[in-house]
PDB file of all heavy atoms in Angstrom:
ATOM      1  N   ASP P 431     167.859  58.669  26.519  1.00 96.00           N
ATOM      2  CA  ASP P 431     168.768  57.768  25.815  1.00 96.00           C
ATOM      3  C   ASP P 431     170.208  58.185  26.160  1.00 96.00           C
ATOM      4  O   ASP P 431     170.437  59.219  26.797  1.00 96.00           O
ATOM      5  CB  ASP P 431     168.492  57.765  24.298  1.00 96.00           C
ATOM      6  CG  ASP P 431     168.640  59.144  23.673  1.00 96.00           C
ATOM      7  OD1 ASP P 431     169.504  59.923  24.127  1.00 96.00           O
ATOM      8  OD2 ASP P 431     167.882  59.466  22.745  1.00 96.00           O
ATOM      9  N   GLU P 432     171.152  57.368  25.695  1.00 96.00           N
ATOM     10  CA  GLU P 432     172.551  57.587  26.104  1.00 96.00           C
ATOM     11  C   GLU P 432     173.104  58.939  25.663  1.00 96.00           C
ATOM     12  O   GLU P 432     173.781  59.634  26.429  1.00 96.00           O
ATOM     13  CB  GLU P 432     173.423  56.489  25.492  1.00 96.00           C
ATOM     14  CG  GLU P 432     174.118  55.655  26.526  1.00 96.00           C
ATOM     15  CD  GLU P 432     174.851  54.499  25.886  1.00 96.00           C
ATOM     16  OE1 GLU P 432     175.894  54.748  25.268  1.00 96.00           O
ATOM     17  OE2 GLU P 432     174.348  53.364  26.000  1.00 96.00           O
ATOM     18  N   ASP P 433     172.790  59.330  24.420  1.00 96.00           N
ATOM     19  CA  ASP P 433     173.293  60.615  23.904  1.00 96.00           C
ATOM     20  C   ASP P 433     172.753  61.778  24.720  1.00 96.00           C
ATOM     21  O   ASP P 433     173.485  62.715  25.065  1.00 96.00           O
ATOM     22  CB  ASP P 433     172.855  60.812  22.449  1.00 96.00           C
ATOM     23  CG  ASP P 433     173.789  60.112  21.499  1.00 96.00           C
ATOM     24  OD1 ASP P 433     174.755  59.486  21.979  1.00 96.00           O
ATOM     25  OD2 ASP P 433     173.548  60.183  20.283  1.00 96.00           O
ATOM     26  N   THR P 434     171.458  61.714  25.008  1.00 97.00           N
ATOM     27  CA  THR P 434     170.829  62.818  25.743  1.00 97.00           C
ATOM     28  C   THR P 434     171.413  62.924  27.145  1.00 97.00           C
ATOM     29  O   THR P 434     171.688  64.030  27.637  1.00 97.00           O
ATOM     30  CB  THR P 434     169.298  62.610  25.783  1.00 97.00           C
ATOM     31  OG1 THR P 434     168.843  62.470  24.446  1.00 97.00           O
ATOM     32  CG2 THR P 434     168.585  63.771  26.454  1.00 97.00           C
ATOM     33  N   LEU P 435     171.614  61.771  27.775  1.00 96.00           N
ATOM     34  CA  LEU P 435     172.248  61.777  29.102  1.00 96.00           C
ATOM     35  C   LEU P 435     173.611  62.449  29.050  1.00 96.00           C
ATOM     36  O   LEU P 435     173.948  63.288  29.896  1.00 96.00           O
ATOM     37  CB  LEU P 435     172.440  60.334  29.586  1.00 96.00           C
ATOM     38  CG  LEU P 435     171.303  59.657  30.322  1.00 96.00           C
ATOM     39  CD1 LEU P 435     171.666  58.210  30.606  1.00 96.00           C
ATOM     40  CD2 LEU P 435     170.988  60.383  31.620  1.00 96.00           C
ATOM     41  N   ALA P 436     174.395  62.061  28.040  1.00 96.00           N
ATOM     42  CA  ALA P 436     175.757  62.597  27.940  1.00 96.00           C
ATOM     43  C   ALA P 436     175.736  64.105  27.687  1.00 96.00           C
ATOM     44  O   ALA P 436     176.497  64.867  28.295  1.00 96.00           O
ATOM     45  CB  ALA P 436     176.514  61.879  26.826  1.00 96.00           C
ATOM     46  N   TRP P 437     174.833  64.564  26.804  1.00 97.00           N
ATOM     47  CA  TRP P 437     174.767  65.999  26.494  1.00 97.00           C
ATOM     48  C   TRP P 437     174.262  66.801  27.681  1.00 97.00           C
ATOM     49  O   TRP P 437     174.800  67.870  27.989  1.00 97.00           O
ATOM     50  CB  TRP P 437     173.858  66.231  25.277  1.00 97.00           C
ATOM     51  CG  TRP P 437     174.594  66.048  23.984  1.00 97.00           C
ATOM     52  CD1 TRP P 437     174.434  65.026  23.100  1.00 97.00           C
ATOM     53  CD2 TRP P 437     175.605  66.893  23.449  1.00 97.00           C
ATOM     54  NE1 TRP P 437     175.293  65.179  22.041  1.00 97.00           N
ATOM     55  CE2 TRP P 437     176.023  66.320  22.219  1.00 97.00           C
ATOM     56  CE3 TRP P 437     176.221  68.078  23.878  1.00 97.00           C
ATOM     57  CZ2 TRP P 437     177.015  66.890  21.428  1.00 97.00           C
ATOM     58  CZ3 TRP P 437     177.208  68.648  23.086  1.00 97.00           C
ATOM     59  CH2 TRP P 437     177.600  68.048  21.883  1.00 97.00           C
ATOM     60  N   LEU P 438     173.214  66.292  28.339  1.00 97.00           N
ATOM     61  CA  LEU P 438     172.691  67.023  29.507  1.00 97.00           C
ATOM     62  C   LEU P 438     173.763  67.126  30.585  1.00 97.00           C
ATOM     63  O   LEU P 438     173.949  68.175  31.207  1.00 97.00           O
ATOM     64  CB  LEU P 438     171.445  66.318  30.069  1.00 97.00           C
ATOM     65  CG  LEU P 438     170.126  66.583  29.334  1.00 97.00           C
ATOM     66  CD1 LEU P 438     169.021  65.681  29.889  1.00 97.00           C
ATOM     67  CD2 LEU P 438     169.711  68.047  29.455  1.00 97.00           C
ATOM     68  N   SER P 439     174.464  66.029  30.785  1.00 96.00           N
ATOM     69  CA  SER P 439     175.485  66.014  31.820  1.00 96.00           C
ATOM     70  C   SER P 439     176.627  66.974  31.475  1.00 96.00           C
ATOM     71  O   SER P 439     177.120  67.724  32.336  1.00 96.00           O
ATOM     72  CB  SER P 439     176.003  64.580  31.989  1.00 96.00           C
ATOM     73  OG  SER P 439     176.859  64.509  33.073  1.00 96.00           O
ATOM     74  N   ALA P 440     177.011  66.991  30.195  1.00 97.00           N
ATOM     75  CA  ALA P 440     178.097  67.886  29.773  1.00 97.00           C
ATOM     76  C   ALA P 440     177.667  69.348  29.927  1.00 97.00           C
ATOM     77  O   ALA P 440     178.457  70.204  30.367  1.00 97.00           O
ATOM     78  CB  ALA P 440     178.475  67.597  28.322  1.00 97.00           C
ATOM     79  N   LEU P 441     176.425  69.634  29.577  1.00 97.00           N
ATOM     80  CA  LEU P 441     175.930  71.019  29.747  1.00 97.00           C
ATOM     81  C   LEU P 441     175.890  71.399  31.216  1.00 97.00           C
ATOM     82  O   LEU P 441     176.197  72.539  31.590  1.00 97.00           O
ATOM     83  CB  LEU P 441     174.525  71.152  29.146  1.00 97.00           C
ATOM     84  CG  LEU P 441     174.457  71.248  27.622  1.00 97.00           C
ATOM     85  CD1 LEU P 441     173.007  71.147  27.148  1.00 97.00           C
ATOM     86  CD2 LEU P 441     175.074  72.563  27.149  1.00 97.00           C
ATOM     87  N   ALA P 442     175.503  70.431  32.055  1.00 97.00           N
ATOM     88  CA  ALA P 442     175.458  70.709  33.494  1.00 97.00           C
ATOM     89  C   ALA P 442     176.863  70.986  34.027  1.00 97.00           C
ATOM     90  O   ALA P 442     177.066  71.883  34.852  1.00 97.00           O
ATOM     91  CB  ALA P 442     174.813  69.543  34.236  1.00 97.00           C
ATOM     92  N   GLU P 443     177.854  70.251  33.536  1.00 96.00           N
ATOM     93  CA  GLU P 443     179.240  70.496  33.963  1.00 96.00           C
ATOM     94  C   GLU P 443     179.647  71.929  33.622  1.00 96.00           C
ATOM     95  O   GLU P 443     180.352  72.598  34.387  1.00 96.00           O
ATOM     96  CB  GLU P 443     180.219  69.533  33.272  1.00 96.00           C
ATOM     97  CG  GLU P 443     180.089  68.078  33.676  1.00 96.00           C
ATOM     98  CD  GLU P 443     180.533  67.825  35.110  1.00 96.00           C
ATOM     99  OE1 GLU P 443     181.285  68.646  35.662  1.00 96.00           O
ATOM    100  OE2 GLU P 443     180.094  66.804  35.681  1.00 96.00           O
ATOM    101  N   ARG P 444     179.177  72.394  32.433  1.00 97.00           N
ATOM    102  CA  ARG P 444     179.576  73.730  31.991  1.00 97.00           C
ATOM    103  C   ARG P 444     178.858  74.833  32.780  1.00 97.00           C
ATOM    104  O   ARG P 444     179.452  75.826  33.165  1.00 97.00           O
ATOM    105  CB  ARG P 444     179.278  73.890  30.494  1.00 97.00           C
ATOM    106  CG  ARG P 444     179.902  75.151  29.922  1.00 97.00           C
ATOM    107  CD  ARG P 444     179.443  75.480  28.521  1.00 97.00           C
ATOM    108  NE  ARG P 444     179.515  74.354  27.604  1.00 97.00           N
ATOM    109  CZ  ARG P 444     178.832  74.307  26.461  1.00 97.00           C
ATOM    110  NH1 ARG P 444     178.043  75.292  26.109  1.00 97.00           N
ATOM    111  NH2 ARG P 444     178.937  73.267  25.669  1.00 97.00           N
TER     112      ARG P 444
END
Side-chain angles (χ1 to χ4, degrees):
D431 59 34
E432 241 174 74
D433 276 0
T434 305
L435 273 175
W437 276 109
L438 280 173
S439 187
L441 283 171
E443 292 291 339
R444 191 190 311 161

